[in-house]
Amino acid sequence: MTEKLVKCLDGCAFLLDIDGTLLDLARTPREVWVPPGLAATLHALHDRTKGALALVSGRSLNDIDLIFAPDRFPGVGGHGAEMRLSTDGEAVATHAPPMDPELKRRLAAIARLSPGILLEDKGYSLALHYRLAPHAERAIYEAVSLIRADLPNAPIEVLPGKCVCEIKQAGFDKATGVRELMTHEPFRGRRPIFIGDDVTDESVFAIMPDLGGLAFSVGRHATGVAGYFEEPRDVRAWLKRLIDDKALAVS
């Protein structure tokens, strides 16, 4: 069944996760790549919405820029820790303090548990990727639990993901970042359309009704979403179709 959900793009704001949503997942975070035509589609959608398009990611804005270089887009980075409102704007922190260096050092040492565990320092968070060492998943989470037990007052959160364990400061997430984004022009007053795939995107799924928006998941039918896409390539094809059809339809 196909349902027409948006009749006009002029009143919408598109908020798009990156890894597993716009881009196919890769063996390591550095191996993701932007398929031909995607940047052009995003620029066209950015123009059609008068700038109300943003990439929403756990990656830092600097990392996002490296992936999409030389193209640049508005975005919410670091799980809501930083924000950029325009393609030529500067990144600003959204009241999120960097992680304590000593805590980060202790967490980083977990990568020594097994070859294949990849450490990614995102500034506001630290990620332990184990796609190349799936056998180490339990050991990683046990080691993180021991550190948390040793530091019960440390304001940190653990974010399970697709073959990744991410640890960040408490007090902010993608949802807080999106709420803040939607208070600024050109996003303010528009209907947000959010697409995400992972556990960390569920906080944004949950607030879409509050913002009068719609959420769509990728790879699974998550709770509270209006629809879902099987794979990132389906998301890319759908976004491209928006530019041509000037309407939004989800099967």
Coordinates of all heavy atoms in Angstrom, one line a residue, residues 2 69 78 80 105-106 145 147 162 175 179 193 206 222 226 229 232 243:
T2 N 0.6 2.2 -0.9 CA 1.3 3.4 -1.0 C 0.5 4.5 -0.4 O -0.7 4.7 -0.8 CB 1.7 3.7 -2.4 OG1 2.5 2.6 -2.9 CG2 2.5 5.0 -2.5
A69 N 33.2 15.4 1.4 CA 34.0 16.4 0.7 C 34.0 16.2 -0.8 O 34.1 15.0 -1.3 CB 35.5 16.3 1.3
G78 N 27.9 14.4 16.5 CA 28.3 14.0 17.8 C 27.1 13.6 18.7 O 27.1 13.9 19.9
G80 N 24.2 14.9 18.8 CA 23.5 16.1 19.4 C 24.5 17.1 20.1 O 24.1 18.1 20.6
R105 N 40.7 7.7 28.3 CA 41.9 6.8 28.3 C 41.5 5.4 28.8 O 42.0 4.4 28.1 CB 43.0 7.4 29.1 CG 44.3 6.7 29.0 CD 45.3 7.1 30.1 NE 44.8 6.8 31.5 CZ 44.8 5.6 32.0 NH1 45.3 4.6 31.3 NH2 44.4 5.4 33.2
R106 N 40.8 5.3 29.8 CA 40.4 4.0 30.4 C 39.5 3.2 29.4 O 39.7 2.0 29.2 CB 39.7 4.2 31.7 CG 40.6 4.7 32.8 CD 39.9 4.7 34.2 NE 39.5 3.3 34.6 CZ 38.9 3.1 35.8 NH1 38.7 4.1 36.6 NH2 38.6 1.8 36.1
S145 N 31.2 -2.1 31.6 CA 30.4 -2.2 32.8 C 31.3 -2.1 34.1 O 30.9 -1.4 35.1 CB 29.6 -3.5 32.9 OG 28.6 -3.5 31.8
I147 N 34.1 -0.5 34.3 CA 34.6 0.9 34.4 C 33.4 1.8 35.0 O 33.6 2.6 35.9 CB 35.0 1.5 33.1 CG1 36.3 0.8 32.6 CG2 35.2 3.0 33.2 CD1 36.8 1.2 31.2
K162 N 25.1 -1.1 15.8 CA 25.4 -2.2 14.9 C 26.9 -2.5 14.9 O 27.7 -1.8 14.3 CB 24.9 -1.9 13.5 CG 23.4 -1.8 13.4 CD 23.0 -1.4 12.0 CE 21.5 -1.3 11.9 NZ 21.0 -0.9 10.6
A175 N 18.0 13.4 19.8 CA 16.8 14.0 20.0 C 16.9 15.5 20.5 O 16.2 16.4 20.1 CB 15.9 13.2 21.0
R179 N 15.7 18.8 18.5 CA 14.8 19.8 19.1 C 15.4 21.2 19.0 O 14.7 22.1 18.7 CB 14.5 19.4 20.6 CG 13.5 18.3 20.8 CD 13.1 18.2 22.3 NE 12.2 17.2 22.6 CZ 10.9 17.2 22.4 NH1 10.4 18.3 21.9 NH2 10.2 16.2 22.7
I193 N 10.9 15.5 8.8 CA 10.9 14.2 8.3 C 12.2 13.5 8.6 O 13.3 13.9 8.0 CB 10.7 14.1 6.7 CG1 9.5 15.0 6.3 CG2 10.6 12.7 6.3 CD1 8.2 14.5 6.8
A206 N 11.0 9.0 18.7 CA 10.1 9.2 19.7 C 9.5 10.6 19.8 O 8.4 10.9 20.3 CB 10.7 8.8 21.1
A222 N 10.8 0.0 13.0 CA 10.9 0.4 14.4 C 9.6 0.9 15.0 O 8.7 1.3 14.3 CB 12.0 1.5 14.5
A226 N 6.4 5.8 10.8 CA 5.3 5.9 9.8 C 5.6 4.9 8.6 O 4.6 4.5 7.9 CB 5.2 7.3 9.2
F229 N 12.3 1.6 5.1 CA 13.0 1.2 3.9 C 13.8 0.0 4.2 O 14.3 -0.2 5.3 CB 13.9 2.3 3.5 CG 13.2 3.6 3.2 CD1 13.0 4.6 4.2 CD2 12.7 3.9 1.9 CE1 12.4 5.8 4.0 CE2 12.1 5.1 1.7 CZ 11.9 6.1 2.7
P232 N 19.7 1.2 2.6 CA 20.0 2.6 2.2 C 19.8 3.0 0.8 O 19.4 4.1 0.5 CB 21.5 2.7 2.6 CG 21.7 1.7 3.7 CD 20.8 0.6 3.3
I243 N 12.7 14.8 -5.7 CA 13.1 15.9 -6.5 C 12.3 15.9 -7.8 O 11.9 17.0 -8.3 CB 14.6 15.9 -6.8 CG1 15.4 15.8 -5.5 CG2 15.0 17.2 -7.6 CD1 15.0 16.9 -4.5

